[in-house]
């Protein structure tokens, strides 16, 4: 029975144990993977505890918002890198790898992007953005989410302001490759963890990009789920395997697990821990799965804070989900 089940004393014992065990990043390194978290750089400055836990536990960081188009290029041709730079400097200081998120997405675009641009204007806009952003961090960002969520929940390509450029998807990958030949380039999406029409559409898209020689190195599965999620039920291992067979590297990119339903809190936390554990196991068993990233790390600053989806509570105490990851990384 897990220690936290033994009330307050057990909880403190569990915390002491967690703190005496090596941090997650060290355990992950032994298993040949990186463990990551999404970050809001202002908190690195404002909240010492946030920075401390992030540096101790994680070997990869990704910007939750500050590297999105709308944050970087608020008006055309004017780039604001202050917050993104802060994150990159922090990561370098703490020997953390960096995921860049994200170059082409239909959301969080600045208003000016909705102007009626001609094909050649859009060509120039896309090229300038990717060259400027990827070029700035050349050699420092290991992975870029070049394209995010291009396939809708109806398994078809979404409508975006980029559509005036029919080949915008492959063009974005080629531009990113030119701007930083060392960075590994990813397609990233949610709701595609298991077998189903959406993951099928993504599979077909990436397969055709690969066949055309488009420089794409990997696929990111976000895993925004709730505590009822079962990787087995949706065929997650089989799904990842078919992407692996395309020669793609696989990352878990944005995992969080919402608490739902009316069970007692202790049971909900245990169910949440099981979901984290099972998804990590799927990753560890897939030789091409190299990165396991959470969308934040403390419930205090989750985009879904009310449903407590992360592995530290809002006072930075490790939750059962933390211990589940710790245990799973230690299992042979
Ligand atoms: O967590 C991000 C939240 O703070 C933003 O308001 C939101 C804007 O749409 O984006 C969230 O992050 C998303 C990520 O960039 C892409 N995948 C889904 C994430 C959760 O919505």
């Amino acid at each position: 029975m897990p220690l936290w089940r033994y009330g307050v004393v057990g909880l403190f014992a569990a915390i002491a144990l967690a703190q005496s065990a090596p941090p997650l990043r060290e355990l992950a390194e032994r298993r040949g993977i990186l463990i990551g978290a999404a970050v809001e750089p202002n908190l690195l400055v404002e909240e010492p505890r946030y920075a401390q836990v992030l540096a101790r536990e994680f070997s990869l960081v990704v910007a939750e918002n500050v590297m999105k188009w709308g944050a970087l290029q608020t008006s055309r041709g004017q780039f604001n890198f202050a917050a993104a730079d802060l994150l990159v400097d922090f990561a370098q200081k703490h020997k953390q790898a960096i995921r860049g998120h994200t170059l082409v997405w239909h959301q969080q675009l600045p208003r000016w992007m909705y102007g009626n641009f001609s094909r050649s204007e859009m060509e120039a806009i896309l090229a300038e953005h990717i060259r400027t952003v990827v070029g700035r961090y050349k050699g420092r960002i290991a992975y870029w989410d070049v394209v995010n969520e291009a396939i809708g929940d109806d398994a078809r390509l979404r409508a975006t302001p980029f559509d005036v450029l029919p080949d915008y998807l492959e063009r974005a990958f080629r531009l990113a490759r030119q701007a930083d030949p060392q960075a590994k380039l990813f397609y990233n999406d949610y709701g595609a963890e298991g077998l189903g029409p959406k993951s099928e559409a993504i599979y077909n898209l990436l397969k055709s990009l690969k066949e055309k020689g488009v420089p794409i190195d990997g696929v990111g599965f976000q895993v925004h789920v709730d505590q009822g999620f079962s990787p087995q039920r949706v065929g997650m291992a089989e799904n990842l395997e078919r992407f692996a067979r395309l020669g793609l590297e696989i990352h878990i990119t944005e995992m969080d697990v919402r608490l739902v339903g009316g069970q007692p809190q202790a049971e909900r936390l245990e169910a949440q821990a099981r979901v984290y554990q099972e998804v990590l196991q799927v990753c560890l068993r897939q030789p091409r799965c190299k990165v396991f990233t959470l969308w934040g790390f403390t419930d205090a600053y989750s985009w879904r804070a009310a449903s407590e989806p992360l592995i530290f509570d809002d006072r930075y105490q490790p939750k059962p989900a933390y211990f589940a990851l710790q245990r799973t990384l230690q299992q042979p």
Side-chain angles (χ1 to χ4, degrees), residues 33-57:
I33 66 168
L34 296 172
I35 183 153
V39 178
E40 292 292 9
N42 63 314
L43 295 167
L44 297 173
V45 183
E46 289 161 16
E47 200 159 313
R49 193 95 181 92
Y50 182 91
Q52 211 175 39
V53 174
L54 181 70
R56 188 185 70 218
E57 299 289 341

PDB file of all heavy atoms in Angstrom, residues 33-57:
ATOM      1  N   ILE A  33      15.875   8.652 -21.338  1.00  0.00           N
ATOM      2  CA  ILE A  33      14.893   9.617 -21.835  1.00  0.00           C
ATOM      3  C   ILE A  33      15.049  10.952 -21.093  1.00  0.00           C
ATOM      4  O   ILE A  33      15.693  11.028 -20.047  1.00  0.00           O
ATOM      5  CB  ILE A  33      13.428   9.123 -21.686  1.00  0.00           C
ATOM      6  CG1 ILE A  33      13.020   8.990 -20.213  1.00  0.00           C
ATOM      7  CG2 ILE A  33      13.213   7.807 -22.415  1.00  0.00           C
ATOM      8  CD1 ILE A  33      11.524   8.802 -20.019  1.00  0.00           C
ATOM      9  N   LEU A  34      14.445  11.989 -21.669  1.00  0.00           N
ATOM     10  CA  LEU A  34      14.387  13.281 -20.992  1.00  0.00           C
ATOM     11  C   LEU A  34      13.001  13.426 -20.380  1.00  0.00           C
ATOM     12  O   LEU A  34      12.017  12.943 -20.945  1.00  0.00           O
ATOM     13  CB  LEU A  34      14.617  14.416 -21.995  1.00  0.00           C
ATOM     14  CG  LEU A  34      15.989  14.460 -22.674  1.00  0.00           C
ATOM     15  CD1 LEU A  34      15.995  15.508 -23.788  1.00  0.00           C
ATOM     16  CD2 LEU A  34      17.095  14.749 -21.657  1.00  0.00           C
ATOM     17  N   ILE A  35      12.941  14.092 -19.228  1.00  0.00           N
ATOM     18  CA  ILE A  35      11.636  14.388 -18.633  1.00  0.00           C
ATOM     19  C   ILE A  35      11.464  15.906 -18.611  1.00  0.00           C
ATOM     20  O   ILE A  35      12.348  16.637 -18.147  1.00  0.00           O
ATOM     21  CB  ILE A  35      11.466  13.734 -17.252  1.00  0.00           C
ATOM     22  CG1 ILE A  35      10.057  14.025 -16.721  1.00  0.00           C
ATOM     23  CG2 ILE A  35      12.534  14.160 -16.241  1.00  0.00           C
ATOM     24  CD1 ILE A  35       9.536  13.001 -15.766  1.00  0.00           C
ATOM     25  N   GLY A  36      10.346  16.368 -19.151  1.00  0.00           N
ATOM     26  CA  GLY A  36      10.201  17.804 -19.366  1.00  0.00           C
ATOM     27  C   GLY A  36       8.964  18.402 -18.732  1.00  0.00           C
ATOM     28  O   GLY A  36       8.070  17.698 -18.259  1.00  0.00           O
ATOM     29  N   ALA A  37       8.947  19.742 -18.730  1.00  0.00           N
ATOM     30  CA  ALA A  37       7.774  20.469 -18.241  1.00  0.00           C
ATOM     31  C   ALA A  37       7.610  21.763 -19.023  1.00  0.00           C
ATOM     32  O   ALA A  37       8.598  22.394 -19.415  1.00  0.00           O
ATOM     33  CB  ALA A  37       7.918  20.789 -16.755  1.00  0.00           C
ATOM     34  N   ALA A  38       6.352  22.165 -19.207  1.00  0.00           N
ATOM     35  CA  ALA A  38       6.063  23.461 -19.824  1.00  0.00           C
ATOM     36  C   ALA A  38       6.239  24.550 -18.779  1.00  0.00           C
ATOM     37  O   ALA A  38       5.911  24.369 -17.603  1.00  0.00           O
ATOM     38  CB  ALA A  38       4.646  23.483 -20.371  1.00  0.00           C
ATOM     39  N   VAL A  39       6.745  25.702 -19.222  1.00  0.00           N
ATOM     40  CA  VAL A  39       7.169  26.749 -18.294  1.00  0.00           C
ATOM     41  C   VAL A  39       6.629  28.120 -18.716  1.00  0.00           C
ATOM     42  O   VAL A  39       6.586  28.443 -19.902  1.00  0.00           O
ATOM     43  CB  VAL A  39       8.723  26.814 -18.273  1.00  0.00           C
ATOM     44  CG1 VAL A  39       9.217  27.927 -17.362  1.00  0.00           C
ATOM     45  CG2 VAL A  39       9.308  25.477 -17.849  1.00  0.00           C
ATOM     46  N   GLU A  40       6.253  28.913 -17.709  1.00  0.00           N
ATOM     47  CA  GLU A  40       5.964  30.341 -17.918  1.00  0.00           C
ATOM     48  C   GLU A  40       7.155  31.115 -17.341  1.00  0.00           C
ATOM     49  O   GLU A  40       7.333  31.162 -16.118  1.00  0.00           O
ATOM     50  CB  GLU A  40       4.675  30.760 -17.194  1.00  0.00           C
ATOM     51  CG  GLU A  40       3.389  30.179 -17.755  1.00  0.00           C
ATOM     52  CD  GLU A  40       3.009  30.705 -19.144  1.00  0.00           C
ATOM     53  OE1 GLU A  40       3.809  31.407 -19.789  1.00  0.00           O
ATOM     54  OE2 GLU A  40       1.896  30.368 -19.589  1.00  0.00           O
ATOM     55  N   PRO A  41       7.991  31.717 -18.184  1.00  0.00           N
ATOM     56  CA  PRO A  41       9.252  32.292 -17.707  1.00  0.00           C
ATOM     57  C   PRO A  41       9.111  33.376 -16.638  1.00  0.00           C
ATOM     58  O   PRO A  41      10.000  33.527 -15.810  1.00  0.00           O
ATOM     59  CB  PRO A  41       9.892  32.861 -18.974  1.00  0.00           C
ATOM     60  CG  PRO A  41       9.250  32.132 -20.083  1.00  0.00           C
ATOM     61  CD  PRO A  41       7.881  31.759 -19.644  1.00  0.00           C
ATOM     62  N   ASN A  42       8.008  34.119 -16.613  1.00  0.00           N
ATOM     63  CA  ASN A  42       7.886  35.155 -15.575  1.00  0.00           C
ATOM     64  C   ASN A  42       7.942  34.534 -14.173  1.00  0.00           C
ATOM     65  O   ASN A  42       8.446  35.143 -13.228  1.00  0.00           O
ATOM     66  CB  ASN A  42       6.604  35.977 -15.763  1.00  0.00           C
ATOM     67  CG  ASN A  42       5.345  35.134 -15.626  1.00  0.00           C
ATOM     68  OD1 ASN A  42       5.263  34.046 -16.197  1.00  0.00           O
ATOM     69  ND2 ASN A  42       4.383  35.606 -14.863  1.00  0.00           N
ATOM     70  N   LEU A  43       7.464  33.298 -14.057  1.00  0.00           N
ATOM     71  CA  LEU A  43       7.480  32.642 -12.742  1.00  0.00           C
ATOM     72  C   LEU A  43       8.900  32.274 -12.301  1.00  0.00           C
ATOM     73  O   LEU A  43       9.183  32.153 -11.108  1.00  0.00           O
ATOM     74  CB  LEU A  43       6.598  31.391 -12.759  1.00  0.00           C
ATOM     75  CG  LEU A  43       5.112  31.670 -12.974  1.00  0.00           C
ATOM     76  CD1 LEU A  43       4.356  30.382 -13.296  1.00  0.00           C
ATOM     77  CD2 LEU A  43       4.505  32.346 -11.742  1.00  0.00           C
ATOM     78  N   LEU A  44       9.794  32.109 -13.260  1.00  0.00           N
ATOM     79  CA  LEU A  44      11.190  31.814 -12.918  1.00  0.00           C
ATOM     80  C   LEU A  44      11.784  32.970 -12.123  1.00  0.00           C
ATOM     81  O   LEU A  44      12.652  32.795 -11.275  1.00  0.00           O
ATOM     82  CB  LEU A  44      12.026  31.607 -14.188  1.00  0.00           C
ATOM     83  CG  LEU A  44      11.631  30.416 -15.061  1.00  0.00           C
ATOM     84  CD1 LEU A  44      12.430  30.433 -16.361  1.00  0.00           C
ATOM     85  CD2 LEU A  44      11.852  29.104 -14.319  1.00  0.00           C
ATOM     86  N   VAL A  45      11.281  34.153 -12.439  1.00  0.00           N
ATOM     87  CA  VAL A  45      11.778  35.358 -11.784  1.00  0.00           C
ATOM     88  C   VAL A  45      11.004  35.629 -10.494  1.00  0.00           C
ATOM     89  O   VAL A  45      11.565  35.968  -9.469  1.00  0.00           O
ATOM     90  CB  VAL A  45      11.621  36.578 -12.731  1.00  0.00           C
ATOM     91  CG1 VAL A  45      12.192  37.825 -12.103  1.00  0.00           C
ATOM     92  CG2 VAL A  45      12.248  36.299 -14.085  1.00  0.00           C
ATOM     93  N   GLU A  46       9.669  35.448 -10.595  1.00  0.00           N
ATOM     94  CA  GLU A  46       8.816  35.860  -9.477  1.00  0.00           C
ATOM     95  C   GLU A  46       8.758  34.861  -8.341  1.00  0.00           C
ATOM     96  O   GLU A  46       8.416  35.213  -7.219  1.00  0.00           O
ATOM     97  CB  GLU A  46       7.376  36.071  -9.983  1.00  0.00           C
ATOM     98  CG  GLU A  46       7.232  37.300 -10.836  1.00  0.00           C
ATOM     99  CD  GLU A  46       5.968  37.263 -11.684  1.00  0.00           C
ATOM    100  OE1 GLU A  46       5.065  36.457 -11.402  1.00  0.00           O
ATOM    101  OE2 GLU A  46       5.900  38.053 -12.650  1.00  0.00           O
ATOM    102  N   GLU A  47       9.027  33.587  -8.641  1.00  0.00           N
ATOM    103  CA  GLU A  47       8.770  32.579  -7.621  1.00  0.00           C
ATOM    104  C   GLU A  47       9.948  31.612  -7.486  1.00  0.00           C
ATOM    105  O   GLU A  47      10.049  30.646  -8.250  1.00  0.00           O
ATOM    106  CB  GLU A  47       7.484  31.835  -7.973  1.00  0.00           C
ATOM    107  CG  GLU A  47       6.922  31.149  -6.781  1.00  0.00           C
ATOM    108  CD  GLU A  47       5.437  30.840  -6.915  1.00  0.00           C
ATOM    109  OE1 GLU A  47       4.677  31.738  -7.329  1.00  0.00           O
ATOM    110  OE2 GLU A  47       5.084  29.711  -6.580  1.00  0.00           O
ATOM    111  N   PRO A  48      10.833  31.844  -6.522  1.00  0.00           N
ATOM    112  CA  PRO A  48      12.035  31.019  -6.387  1.00  0.00           C
ATOM    113  C   PRO A  48      11.746  29.518  -6.298  1.00  0.00           C
ATOM    114  O   PRO A  48      12.465  28.700  -6.867  1.00  0.00           O
ATOM    115  CB  PRO A  48      12.650  31.519  -5.079  1.00  0.00           C
ATOM    116  CG  PRO A  48      12.088  32.874  -4.865  1.00  0.00           C
ATOM    117  CD  PRO A  48      10.756  32.921  -5.541  1.00  0.00           C
ATOM    118  N   ARG A  49      10.654  29.166  -5.622  1.00  0.00           N
ATOM    119  CA  ARG A  49      10.327  27.744  -5.451  1.00  0.00           C
ATOM    120  C   ARG A  49      10.050  27.077  -6.807  1.00  0.00           C
ATOM    121  O   ARG A  49      10.406  25.931  -7.048  1.00  0.00           O
ATOM    122  CB  ARG A  49       9.092  27.653  -4.549  1.00  0.00           C
ATOM    123  CG  ARG A  49       8.794  26.285  -4.019  1.00  0.00           C
ATOM    124  CD  ARG A  49       9.379  26.067  -2.625  1.00  0.00           C
ATOM    125  NE  ARG A  49       9.096  24.714  -2.156  1.00  0.00           N
ATOM    126  CZ  ARG A  49       9.914  23.690  -2.340  1.00  0.00           C
ATOM    127  NH1 ARG A  49      11.062  23.858  -2.956  1.00  0.00           N
ATOM    128  NH2 ARG A  49       9.589  22.482  -1.891  1.00  0.00           N
ATOM    129  N   TYR A  50       9.389  27.832  -7.665  1.00  0.00           N
ATOM    130  CA  TYR A  50       9.062  27.342  -9.019  1.00  0.00           C
ATOM    131  C   TYR A  50      10.357  27.015  -9.777  1.00  0.00           C
ATOM    132  O   TYR A  50      10.524  25.934 -10.331  1.00  0.00           O
ATOM    133  CB  TYR A  50       8.248  28.423  -9.731  1.00  0.00           C
ATOM    134  CG  TYR A  50       7.767  28.109 -11.129  1.00  0.00           C
ATOM    135  CD1 TYR A  50       6.524  27.527 -11.340  1.00  0.00           C
ATOM    136  CD2 TYR A  50       8.535  28.442 -12.250  1.00  0.00           C
ATOM    137  CE1 TYR A  50       6.063  27.270 -12.628  1.00  0.00           C
ATOM    138  CE2 TYR A  50       8.086  28.188 -13.530  1.00  0.00           C
ATOM    139  CZ  TYR A  50       6.843  27.605 -13.723  1.00  0.00           C
ATOM    140  OH  TYR A  50       6.392  27.365 -14.998  1.00  0.00           O
ATOM    141  N   ALA A  51      11.270  27.962  -9.740  1.00  0.00           N
ATOM    142  CA  ALA A  51      12.533  27.776 -10.455  1.00  0.00           C
ATOM    143  C   ALA A  51      13.334  26.613  -9.865  1.00  0.00           C
ATOM    144  O   ALA A  51      13.938  25.816 -10.596  1.00  0.00           O
ATOM    145  CB  ALA A  51      13.348  29.067 -10.390  1.00  0.00           C
ATOM    146  N   GLN A  52      13.290  26.521  -8.548  1.00  0.00           N
ATOM    147  CA  GLN A  52      14.052  25.483  -7.845  1.00  0.00           C
ATOM    148  C   GLN A  52      13.576  24.072  -8.223  1.00  0.00           C
ATOM    149  O   GLN A  52      14.369  23.206  -8.572  1.00  0.00           O
ATOM    150  CB  GLN A  52      13.776  25.700  -6.365  1.00  0.00           C
ATOM    151  CG  GLN A  52      14.853  25.335  -5.413  1.00  0.00           C
ATOM    152  CD  GLN A  52      14.377  25.753  -4.013  1.00  0.00           C
ATOM    153  OE1 GLN A  52      13.191  25.612  -3.666  1.00  0.00           O
ATOM    154  NE2 GLN A  52      15.286  26.282  -3.220  1.00  0.00           N
ATOM    155  N   VAL A  53      12.259  23.874  -8.154  1.00  0.00           N
ATOM    156  CA  VAL A  53      11.705  22.543  -8.447  1.00  0.00           C
ATOM    157  C   VAL A  53      11.920  22.205  -9.922  1.00  0.00           C
ATOM    158  O   VAL A  53      12.303  21.089 -10.280  1.00  0.00           O
ATOM    159  CB  VAL A  53      10.207  22.470  -8.060  1.00  0.00           C
ATOM    160  CG1 VAL A  53       9.594  21.142  -8.485  1.00  0.00           C
ATOM    161  CG2 VAL A  53      10.037  22.676  -6.559  1.00  0.00           C
ATOM    162  N   LEU A  54      11.722  23.183 -10.780  1.00  0.00           N
ATOM    163  CA  LEU A  54      11.927  22.949 -12.213  1.00  0.00           C
ATOM    164  C   LEU A  54      13.368  22.517 -12.502  1.00  0.00           C
ATOM    165  O   LEU A  54      13.606  21.560 -13.245  1.00  0.00           O
ATOM    166  CB  LEU A  54      11.594  24.224 -12.991  1.00  0.00           C
ATOM    167  CG  LEU A  54      11.751  24.123 -14.498  1.00  0.00           C
ATOM    168  CD1 LEU A  54      10.673  23.235 -15.110  1.00  0.00           C
ATOM    169  CD2 LEU A  54      11.711  25.506 -15.160  1.00  0.00           C
ATOM    170  N   ALA A  55      14.310  23.212 -11.910  1.00  0.00           N
ATOM    171  CA  ALA A  55      15.727  22.899 -12.157  1.00  0.00           C
ATOM    172  C   ALA A  55      16.095  21.528 -11.575  1.00  0.00           C
ATOM    173  O   ALA A  55      16.856  20.776 -12.167  1.00  0.00           O
ATOM    174  CB  ALA A  55      16.614  23.974 -11.553  1.00  0.00           C
ATOM    175  N   ARG A  56      15.520  21.207 -10.433  1.00  0.00           N
ATOM    176  CA  ARG A  56      15.875  19.953  -9.765  1.00  0.00           C
ATOM    177  C   ARG A  56      15.318  18.728 -10.494  1.00  0.00           C
ATOM    178  O   ARG A  56      15.999  17.727 -10.651  1.00  0.00           O
ATOM    179  CB  ARG A  56      15.334  19.978  -8.324  1.00  0.00           C
ATOM    180  CG  ARG A  56      15.793  18.815  -7.464  1.00  0.00           C
ATOM    181  CD  ARG A  56      15.142  18.827  -6.088  1.00  0.00           C
ATOM    182  NE  ARG A  56      13.723  18.516  -6.162  1.00  0.00           N
ATOM    183  CZ  ARG A  56      12.780  19.091  -5.412  1.00  0.00           C
ATOM    184  NH1 ARG A  56      13.088  20.033  -4.543  1.00  0.00           N
ATOM    185  NH2 ARG A  56      11.522  18.730  -5.536  1.00  0.00           N
ATOM    186  N   GLU A  57      14.066  18.831 -10.941  1.00  0.00           N
ATOM    187  CA  GLU A  57      13.364  17.626 -11.392  1.00  0.00           C
ATOM    188  C   GLU A  57      13.379  17.379 -12.903  1.00  0.00           C
ATOM    189  O   GLU A  57      13.131  16.261 -13.328  1.00  0.00           O
ATOM    190  CB  GLU A  57      11.896  17.679 -10.938  1.00  0.00           C
ATOM    191  CG  GLU A  57      11.705  17.746  -9.429  1.00  0.00           C
ATOM    192  CD  GLU A  57      12.056  16.432  -8.722  1.00  0.00           C
ATOM    193  OE1 GLU A  57      12.104  15.374  -9.378  1.00  0.00           O
ATOM    194  OE2 GLU A  57      12.292  16.486  -7.496  1.00  0.00           O
TER     195      GLU A  57
END
